[in-house]
Amino acid sequence: TAADSATIAGSAILVINGLGYDAWATKIVSSLGSTQPTVIDLGQVVGLSVGANPHIWYSPDYVAQSAAAITSIFKQKLPSAANQFDSSAGAFKSALGPYRDQVAAIKSKFSGTNIGATESVFDYMAQATGLVVTTPDAFRLAEAKGTDPTAQSVATFSDQLTNGTDKVLIFNTQTQGGLPTQMRQTATNSHVPIVEVTETLTPANATFQEWQLRQLQALWTALGGNKS
């Protein structure tokens, strides 16, 4: 919107996800001429290129790299507040402790476990926890892009949910409808636990670590982590 453009124009720093996820923002910046803010492209920060999975906030390592890059630019822009920025970065790192501990616990106990996923949003976290997403890429990537998956990928996904291959289904609630909902019902009918995840902060007033930890705790429970 015009208000978004005005906000960006009046900013000293603009943090973008990159990787094609928020191309609208880079278009606004390019239209600003000499009034452009300093842009922190987090996709570039973590060493990825357009075409890679853009959901980098689901990678604990990418989150740490992103926080470090943002802190560094803040300090360059306002050296007088460098100590304050370092303190805030340290507080954020400490606040991520339970989140990182839960990632480590899942990896320690359930690494190698097969899971299904209706979309690619959770891929980086699956890698971090050692879980194996068996759902065909043709299904997950089609859903992420809003296109139709192949019939073969739909059949394979359904079979994996019914024949015991997948122990948990990761369900992105922000891509409900059609085939994802159908796969959710298949999982329910087959008594496969479902873990709901979202692409954006939920609820909107939660902190990043609260949001992620709640989802990870649900995953831990679904995998059987609370069983002796």
Side-chain angles (χ1 to χ4, degrees), residues 4 14 20 28 33 57 65 71 89 91 93 113 119-120 122 132 136 149 153 172 174 182 185 193 201 218:
D4 295 326
L14 174 66
I28 291 175
W57 58 94
Q65 292 175 45
T71 302
K93 183 177 181 180
T113 300
E119 210 238 57
S120 59
F122 200 73
V132 180
S153 69
N172 181 356
Q174 292 172 322
Q182 178 182 322
Q185 188 59 54
L201 194 66

Side-chain angles (χ1 to χ4, degrees), residues 102-117:
Q102 189 67 72
V103 171
I106 293 172
K107 184 174 184 178
S108 176
K109 188 165 185 176
F110 297 108
S111 181
T113 300
N114 291 334
I115 63 171

Side-chain angles (χ1 to χ4, degrees), residues 45-58:
V45 165
V46 302
L48 299 177
S49 302
V50 174
N53 186 334
H55 306 109
I56 55 177
W57 58 94
Y58 268 98

Side-chain angles (χ1 to χ4, degrees), residues 110-158:
F110 297 108
S111 181
T113 300
N114 291 334
I115 63 171
T118 57
E119 210 238 57
S120 59
V121 64
F122 200 73
D123 282 9
Y124 290 127
M125 184 57 76
Q127 294 168 14
T129 52
L131 302 176
V132 180
V133 179
T134 65
T135 307
D137 289 344
F139 185 99
R140 295 182 304 108
L141 297 180
E143 288 299 328
K145 295 177 180 179
T147 59
D148 293 329
T150 65
Q152 181 59 51
S153 69
V154 174
T156 299
F157 190 6
S158 180

Side-chain angles (χ1 to χ4, degrees), residues 6-226:
T7 298
I8 291 174
S11 300
I13 298 170
L14 174 66
V15 181
I16 67 171
N17 188 82
L19 304 173
Y21 193 80
D22 39 14
W24 59 271
T26 56
K27 290 178 181 178
I28 291 175
V29 170
S30 65
S31 72
L32 296 178
S34 60
T35 61
Q36 292 184 7
T38 296
V39 176
I40 308 176
D41 185 321
L42 298 181
Q44 293 180 3
V45 165
V46 302
L48 299 177
S49 302
V50 174
N53 186 334
H55 306 109
I56 55 177
W57 58 94
Y58 268 98
S59 164
D61 289 343
Y62 290 163
V63 168
Q65 292 175 45
S66 297
I70 293 169
T71 302
S72 177
I73 295 296
F74 281 7
K75 290 166 65 176
Q76 291 177 31
K77 285 288 186 180
L78 194 61
S80 62
N83 288 340
Q84 180 180 340
F85 291 135
D86 282 335
S87 177
S88 295
F92 178 61
K93 183 177 181 180
S94 296
L96 291 179
Y99 151 82
R100 298 192 72 96
D101 288 346
Q102 189 67 72
V103 171
I106 293 172
K107 184 174 184 178
S108 176
K109 188 165 185 176
F110 297 108
S111 181
T113 300
N114 291 334
I115 63 171
T118 57
E119 210 238 57
S120 59
V121 64
F122 200 73
D123 282 9
Y124 290 127
M125 184 57 76
Q127 294 168 14
T129 52
L131 302 176
V132 180
V133 179
T134 65
T135 307
D137 289 344
F139 185 99
R140 295 182 304 108
L141 297 180
E143 288 299 328
K145 295 177 180 179
T147 59
D148 293 329
T150 65
Q152 181 59 51
S153 69
V154 174
T156 299
F157 190 6
S158 180
D159 288 345
Q160 290 167 340
L161 290 170
T162 56
N163 66 15
T165 297
D166 294 331
K167 306 308 178 186
V168 167
L169 174 65
I170 304 296
F171 184 79
N172 181 356
T173 62
Q174 292 172 322
T175 57
Q176 293 191 62
L179 286 171
T181 299
Q182 178 182 322
M183 292 302 141
R184 177 174 185 147
Q185 188 59 54
T186 298
T188 298
N189 294 343
S190 301
H191 307 290
V192 175
I194 298 165
V195 176
E196 295 184 344
V197 300
T198 56
E199 199 158 335
T200 56
L201 194 66
T202 305
N205 63 349
T207 64
F208 171 82
Q209 58 272 20
E210 288 170 344
W211 168 46
Q212 290 289 306
L213 181 58
R214 183 170 55 252
Q215 293 182 155
L216 289 167
Q217 289 171 335
L219 177 59
W220 170 261
T221 299
L223 288 166
N226 292 336

